Amino acid sequence: MRILAVCGSGLGTSFMVEMNINQVLKELGVTDVEVSHSDLSSATPDSADVFFLAKDIAEGGESLGEVIVLDSIIDMDELRAKVTAVVRDKGLI
């Protein structure tokens, strides 16, 4: 499975979310997931299976496919809950 963290410019915010997703996956013991980051204009539906976006750009990512909207990009509890739900839904835990 592939996860793409997306932000407006593809720099700091999406990279931070990528690192935090990797941390959550490690905590969960999930290894079969590739996580990367991108800017919104470069993201395409075939870039990943699941896209994590901040709520301020969520509308721009509606055409990507399965989008998980983060209310707060720094809230680890929210991210942990949403990543856990995704990997559980995909049968990885």
Side-chain angles (χ1 to χ4, degrees):
M1 183 176 85
R2 296 176 299 156
I3 293 176
L4 189 64
V6 181
C7 72
S9 63
L11 298 171
T13 302
S14 59
F15 182 58
M16 179 189 72
V17 173
E18 173 190 352
M19 291 188 318
N20 289 340
I21 291 171
N22 277 319
Q23 178 183 331
V24 171
L25 292 171
K26 184 176 180 180
E27 291 171 7
L28 295 172
V30 176
T31 57
D32 294 336
V33 178
E34 176 187 322
V35 185
S36 56
H37 68 279
S38 174
D39 63 283
L40 183 57
S41 63
S42 298
T44 61
D46 62 343
S47 300
D49 302 300
V50 181
F51 300 84
F52 280 77
L53 286 76
K55 68 179 176 182
D56 63 326
I57 63 166
E59 188 175 311
E62 291 174 345
S63 65
L64 292 174
E66 185 175 351
V67 172
I68 307 300
V69 178
L70 299 173
D71 293 320
S72 170
I73 60 166
I74 59 171
D75 183 347
M76 282 300 291
D77 291 331
E78 176 191 11
L79 185 65
R80 187 173 292 107
K82 290 183 175 181
V83 170
T84 301
V86 166
V87 295
R88 185 171 287 134
D89 182 55
K90 302 295 184 188
L92 299 175
I93 57 172

